[in-house]
C-alpha cells in the first residue's frame, strides 16, 4: 500500500512538472552532461560566424526539472547554427535535489567551460528550474563575475502554485521532492533569492514568459525586478501560442534569445518557425 502511494505521488508530480516530450526521451549519462570538455563546447569553435557577435561568449543552456539534455538540443542547434559555442547542462539527479547543490555543480561546470574555451565569461540560457539554479550560482556562489547574460525561459522566479497544489491534493509537500518544495510560492529558498537585489552584479538579466505556461502560475511569477528586462511573448505577438516546453522550441521565442545575446533591440519575429 505504501509503495503504491509513493508511486502515485511520483506520477502526479511528474505529470504536473514535466513536459511530456522530455519525459519520453532517453536519459544520457551523468558524465556526458555534467563534465565540460573542449569537444562539448566547440560547436562553433572553428569560427564565430553568422549572427553571433565577434568574440561572443560561450553559451551554457541550463535545463530544468527532469530536463534531460536531449530536450534542449533544438535550441542548442539553433544557437550553434548562428555561430555560438554551446553546451547543455543537465541538472544533477535530473533536478530533483536541492537547488543549492545543483548550483554548486553548475559553478564547477561553468569553470570547466571557461577553461575549455578560454573565455572569461559565459552566457546562461536557462529553462524552468534551471533559471533558479543559475540565479543561486550568480547571487551566492561567485557567478556574478563569470556570467555576462542571464536569460530565463519560463522560470518560476517567484514560485508557482503548481508546486503548492500538490500538497492541496493530499500528496504531501511535493511528494517529498526537494526542488519542488523550493519552487513553491513562499519557500525559504525563494525568499533568499528574491530578498534584497534579485539581479545582482553587472550581469544583464532577461526573463521570457508566456501566457500559456501551464507550469508557472501565475505567469507573471516568471519575471524579475531590479532592472531586469522582462519579455512577455504575447505582448509582442498576441496570437502566438507557446507552452512551458515550447519556450525552448518556439521560433519566435528564439528570436528573443538571439537578440538578447547579441545586445540587440528586442523585436520578436511573430512568424518565426
Amino acid at each position: 500500500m505504501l509503495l503504491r502511494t509513493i508511486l502515485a505521488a511520483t506520477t502526479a508530480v511528474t505529470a504536473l512538472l514535466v513536459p511530456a516530450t522530455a519525459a519520453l526521451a532517453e536519459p544520457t549519462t551523468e558524465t556526458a552532461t555534467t563534465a565540460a570538455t573542449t569537444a562539448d563546447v566547440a560547436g562553433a569553435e572553428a569560427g564565430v560566424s553568422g549572427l553571433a557577435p565577434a568574440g561572443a561568449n560561450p553559451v551554457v543552456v541550463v535545463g530544468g526539472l527532469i530536463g534531460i539534455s536531449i530536450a534542449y538540443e533544438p535550441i542548442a542547434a539553433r544557437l550553434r547554427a548562428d555561430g555560438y559555442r554551446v553546451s547543455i547542462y543537465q541538472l544533477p539527479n535530473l533536478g530533483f535535489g536541492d537547488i543549492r547543490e545543483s548550483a554548486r555543480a553548475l559553478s564547477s561546470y561553468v569553470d570547466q567551460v571557461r577553461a575549455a574555451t578560454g573565455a572569461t565569461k559565459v552566457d546562461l540560457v536557462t529553462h524552468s528550474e534551471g533559471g533558479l539554479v543559475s540565479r543561486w550560482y550568480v547571487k551566492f556562489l561567485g557567478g556574478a563575475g563569470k556570467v555576462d547574460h542571464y536569460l530565463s525561459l519560463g522560470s518560476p522566479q517567484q514560485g508557482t502554485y503548481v508546486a503548492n497544489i500538490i500538497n492541496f491534493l493530499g500528496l504531501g509537500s511535493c511528494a517529498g521532492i526537494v526542488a519542488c518544495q523550493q519552487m513553491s510560492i513562499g519557500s525559504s529558498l525563494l525568499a533568499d533569492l528574491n530578498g534584497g537585489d534579485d539581479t545582482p552584479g553587472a550581469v544583464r538579466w532577461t526573463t521570457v514568459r508566456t501566457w500559456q505556461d501551464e507550469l508557472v502560475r501565475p505567469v507573471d511569477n516568471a519575471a524579475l525586478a531590479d532592472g531586469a528586462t522582462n519579455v512577455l511573448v504575447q505582448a509582442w505577438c498576441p496570437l502566438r501560442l507557446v507552452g512551458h516546453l515550447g519556450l525552448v522550441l518556439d521560433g519566435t521565442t528564439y528570436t528573443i534569445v538571439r537578440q538578447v545575446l547579441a545586445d540587440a533591440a528586442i523585436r520578436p519575429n511573430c512568424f518565426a518557425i
Side-chain angles (χ1 to χ4, degrees):
M1 180 65 180
L2 177 59
L3 178 59
R4 287 199 299 271
T5 301
I6 293 172
L7 289 173
T10 303
T11 300
V13 172
T14 301
L16 285 167
L17 296 181
V18 183
T21 53
L24 291 172
E26 288 295 326
T28 55
T29 63
E30 183 174 347
T31 300
T33 56
T34 60
T37 66
T38 301
D40 291 331
V41 297
E45 191 68 37
V48 177
S49 59
L51 295 173
N57 298 317
V59 177
V60 179
V61 177
V62 184
L65 182 64
I66 316 187
I68 58 176
S69 59
I70 195 172
Y72 298 98
E73 276 299 335
I75 191 170
R78 288 182 189 263
L79 287 162
R80 292 187 187 110
D82 279 338
Y84 288 94
R85 298 166 289 175
V86 185
S87 60
I88 300 171
Y89 180 72
Q90 178 178 297
L91 298 182
N93 302 313
L94 295 179
F96 281 94
D98 192 323
I99 285 173
R100 293 165 294 195
E101 292 302 318
S102 295
R104 292 187 183 95
L106 175 61
S107 176
S108 297
Y109 184 83
V110 168
D111 285 344
Q112 291 174 43
V113 170
R114 292 168 61 241
T117 61
T120 302
K121 293 186 176 183
V122 301
D123 293 334
L124 300 180
V125 175
T126 74
H127 180 239
S128 196
E129 181 192 341
L132 300 180
V133 170
S134 299
R135 282 184 63 203
W136 192 273
Y137 161 59
V138 170
K139 186 168 183 176
F140 296 113
L141 301 177
K146 301 174 184 178
V147 174
D148 189 5
H149 296 90
Y150 165 99
L151 191 154
S152 67
L153 305 172
S155 292
Q157 309 287 7
Q158 319 299 326
T160 172
Y161 280 127
V162 175
N164 295 76
I165 201 171
I166 296 173
N167 187 40
F168 176 78
L169 293 175
L171 298 177
S173 179
C174 283
I177 297 174
V178 175
C180 174
Q181 295 169 349
Q182 293 172 329
M183 288 188 284
S184 299
I185 293 173
S187 75
S188 59
L189 180 132
L190 291 175
D192 289 339
L193 269 181
N194 295 319
D197 186 358
D198 64 355
T199 56
V203 178
R204 284 170 275 194
W205 299 84
T206 305
T207 74
V208 180
R209 66 195 193 281
T210 172
W211 279 126
Q212 290 84 35
D213 195 319
E214 65 277 21
L215 299 182
V216 179
R217 310 301 300 185
V219 168
D220 285 344
N221 275 18
L224 288 169
D226 298 334
T229 299
N230 297 298
V231 182
L232 174 65
V233 173
Q234 289 75 28
W236 292 88
C237 308
L239 301 181
R240 194 76 179 190
L241 301 178
V242 186
H244 186 72
L245 180 59
L247 285 165
V248 298
L249 304 172
D250 177 62
T252 292
T253 303
Y254 179 70
T255 65
I256 300 170
V257 173
R258 189 173 60 196
Q259 290 160 2
V260 168
L261 296 182
D263 291 321
I266 296 177
R267 296 188 179 90
N269 178 352
C270 298
F271 303 100
I273 299 174

